[in-house]
Structures are given as C-alpha cells and as structure tokens.
C-alpha cells in the first residue's frame, strides 16, 4: 500500500485531495507542518507528499512555495480539489460569535464571517479546528472545515457552502523521489533567479514565445537571503525530457543566476 504524507488532522482537505489523486488504496500519514510532510518522504518514511500551493480565491500558499525551493523531492503530479467549506459547531448560527480555522479558510469565507460579525482565531488546520471546537464545547464557538471533518469528529454542521465564491478550488502538488514519464499532456515547474539588469526577465520569457511553449503561471517570491531580491516560479506546458523543452531550459539557464527544475508531471483538470 502507498503511504502519503499530508499536513493537518484526519479530514483535512489535503488528505481528501490525496485520496482523490491516487486511484488505489493509500495510507495517509498526518503531520503538523508542511516541512515535516516533505521531510517524511525525503527520509523514506512515506512514498509521496501532498502540498497545497494555491487557491482560486486566496491565491498562493507562500510557505509551500518556499519549501519547493529547498526540497530535493520531485513534483510528480498535481490535483485540483474542490473546497466546500462548512460552519461547524454545537450552537445555532445566531449564537456563534467566534470562528476558528486555518488562515486560508478564514480568508476564503471572509464575507460570511464579516456578515455575521464573527471574531476569527487562526489555527494550524481546518480539520484540527473541529477538534478544538469539540474540546471547547461552547455554543458561541464554531469552526470552518469540511463535511468529512464534521463526520469524523462528530460535530454538527451549522451552515454549508459558506465560501466567498462557491467555485473554490485548491491546487495540490504531489512530490516523491520518483520522476513521471512523458504522457503527451504534461506540465513542468521551475524556479529561477535573475540578475538585476534591464531586460533580464524579458530575455527568459522570450524563450517561451520563440519555442511556442505555453507558459501557464509565473509568480515571484522573496529570496529570504537578500532584501528585495526574488525567485520566480514558473509553470509551462511540456515535459523536461522532451528535446524541445530540454533545449529551451538550457537557453534559459544561461540568463539565470540559479535554475531548478521542480519536476514534470501529467497536467490535471478541474474535477
């Protein structure tokens, strides 16, 4: 059986995304932090890790991108998982004045929270917030999590579908020590940094245009080492072992201070 590490408690969206991604039975292993999730696979305690990297409402998960820079693991897959937030607790909605959840979930439900004038308390995980609510057992305290978490911890759902936008998806990356073979419908993720020179980023982006490669995402993150310097995270269509992509990466490398290929993997679709 495949072992997959995820961040959070049982019933977390990461765990649900992992079960959806792998067609066979898996054993999920929970960890408190994203760093521990990746470390478990690096040390062969699990075969795969799953990491949330961006949400359609709240944008990128910065901590995940920072860890992608330093990990030795390869990205071998991606998954888009629909997020359906519920307000969970023992009281009625007009009794609730305090809501617990992960900061991303609180942001994704900001309109609902503000409309009901609830105080927010950030937690380490959505499913973990259900455990907190159960232990508190206070009618004025509720949390935001999934239906699955409500069932697992046996705490009632007060309200369903409370996100700002019901078209709410989180993109997850699957990481392992393995590499994915070419499928003909692939995506590649890279990180690079550039010199502070006029046109340096343009020269890199120009390669995608010249080679007719579809660039699907570009984002910058602070380097954490030098103030106001950035790493660029880029996703594009194609596989690194394809000759055209391989040649393009060599050309890009010449104009970068640093380039890391995170991995090539089958491109996923919204489910």
């Amino acid at each position: 059986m495949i072992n997959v590490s995820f961040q959070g408690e049982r019933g977390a969206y990461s765990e649900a995304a992992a079960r959806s991604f792998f067609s066979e039975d898996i054993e999920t292993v929970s960890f408190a932090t994203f760093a521990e999730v990746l470390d478990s696979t690096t040390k062969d305690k699990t075969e795969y890790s799953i990491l949330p990297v961006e949400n359609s409402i709240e944008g990128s998960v910065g901590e995940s991108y920072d860890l992608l820079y330093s990990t030795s693991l390869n990205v071998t897959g991606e998954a888009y998982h629909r997020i359906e937030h519920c307000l969970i607790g023992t009281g009625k909605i007009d009794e609730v004045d305090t809501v617990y959840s992960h900061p991303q979930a609180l942001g994704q439900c900001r309109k609902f929270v503000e409309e009901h004038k609830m105080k927010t308390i950030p937690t380490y995980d959505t499913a973990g917030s259900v455990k907190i609510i159960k232990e508190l057992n206070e009618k004025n305290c509720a949390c935001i999590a999934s239906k699955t978490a409500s069932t697992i911890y046996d705490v009632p759902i007060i309200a369903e579908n409370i996100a700002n936008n019901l078209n709410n998806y989180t993109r997850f990356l699957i990481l392992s020590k393995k590499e994915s073979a070419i499928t003909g419908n692939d995506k590649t993720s890279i990180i690079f940094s550039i010199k502070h020179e006029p046109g340096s980023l343009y020269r890199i982006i120009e390669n995608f245009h010249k080679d007719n490669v579809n660039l699907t995402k570009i984002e910058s993150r602070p380097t954490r080492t030098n103030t106001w310097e950035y790493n660029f995270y880029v996703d594009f269509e194609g596989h690194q072992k394809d000759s055209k992509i391989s040649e393009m990466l060599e050309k890009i490398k010449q104009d970068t201070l640093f380039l890391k290929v995170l991995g090539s993997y089958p491109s996923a679709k919204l489910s």
Side-chain angles (χ1 to χ4, degrees):
M1 183 176 286
I2 295 173
N3 295 320
V4 183
S5 54
F6 72 97
Q7 187 274 332
E9 301 284 353
R10 299 291 176 189
Y13 290 108
S14 291
E15 183 183 36
R19 294 196 184 280
S20 296
F21 178 82
F22 291 95
S23 56
E24 56 194 293
D25 287 339
I26 63 171
E27 183 176 336
T28 54
V29 184
S30 65
F31 289 92
T33 67
F34 293 144
E36 289 174 305
V37 168
L38 296 182
D39 188 58
S40 70
T41 304
T42 303
K43 293 180 177 177
D44 295 319
K45 294 178 181 178
T46 54
E47 293 175 67
Y48 294 91
S49 296
I50 186 164
L51 206 63
V53 289
E54 59 181 315
N55 176 263
S56 57
I57 297 176
E58 283 297 289
S60 296
V61 182
E63 184 182 353
S64 293
Y65 275 100
D66 292 339
L67 286 168
L68 289 173
Y69 171 84
S70 57
T71 186
S72 61
L73 299 174
N74 301 310
V75 179
T76 57
E78 69 171 350
Y80 292 96
H81 186 73
R82 191 180 186 93
I83 306 298
E84 297 178 305
H85 287 310
C86 300
L87 184 70
I88 298 169
T90 56
K92 296 179 181 178
I93 195 164
D94 56 359
E95 295 177 298
V96 177
D97 59 21
T98 304
V99 60
Y100 293 72
S101 198
H102 188 277
Q104 279 267 337
L106 293 172
Q108 291 163 26
C109 301
R110 187 175 291 111
K111 291 180 182 177
F112 179 88
V113 170
E114 291 177 352
E115 181 184 324
H116 291 87
K117 298 180 172 58
M118 296 173 181
K119 174 187 174 183
T120 58
I121 299 181
T123 63
Y124 64 100
D125 175 45
T126 54
S129 67
V130 187
K131 289 181 70 176
I132 292 170
I133 289 303
K134 187 166 186 174
E135 290 170 6
L136 285 173
N137 195 28
E138 298 286 346
K139 292 187 181 298
N140 69 309
C141 295
C143 66
I144 295 171
S146 67
K147 287 183 180 180
T148 302
S150 166
T151 302
I152 289 174
Y153 301 107
D154 194 26
V155 182
I157 292 174
I158 301 171
E160 295 184 23
N161 298 320
I162 63 171
N164 301 344
N165 186 333
L166 298 184
N167 191 31
N168 184 11
Y169 287 86
T170 293
R171 179 184 177 221
F172 293 85
L173 294 181
I174 315 299
L175 296 99
S176 75
K177 289 187 174 180
K178 304 173 184 178
E179 292 185 354
S180 292
I182 297 176
T183 67
N185 180 37
D186 300 298
K187 186 184 288 185
T188 297
S189 296
I190 63 173
I191 308 173
F192 63 83
S193 60
I194 55 176
K195 300 173 185 176
H196 279 282
E197 297 176 354
S200 56
L201 181 59
Y202 170 78
R203 286 195 298 273
I204 291 171
I205 300 303
E206 188 181 28
N207 285 293
F208 291 92
H209 174 68
K210 285 181 177 179
D211 291 318
N212 195 31
V213 174
N214 186 24
L215 194 156
T216 59
K217 179 182 173 68
I218 182 168
E219 178 163 350
S220 62
R221 290 282 301 165
T223 62
R224 305 277 179 174
T225 52
N226 297 315
T227 305
W228 307 123
E229 289 189 8
Y230 298 87
N231 290 321
F232 291 88
Y233 292 75
V234 171
D235 296 339
F236 56 89
E237 292 179 355
H239 196 287
Q240 61 181 312
K241 290 185 178 178
D242 179 271
S243 57
K244 182 177 79 169
I245 299 299
S246 178
E247 290 170 10
M248 185 189 73
L249 287 172
E250 281 301 316
K251 286 185 283 185
I252 289 173
K253 194 172 184 178
Q254 295 172 15
D255 285 312
T256 64
L257 296 172
F258 157 84
L259 185 144
K260 176 183 179 182
V261 179
L262 294 171
S264 298
Y265 46 92
S267 183
K269 294 182 180 180
L270 292 180
S271 57

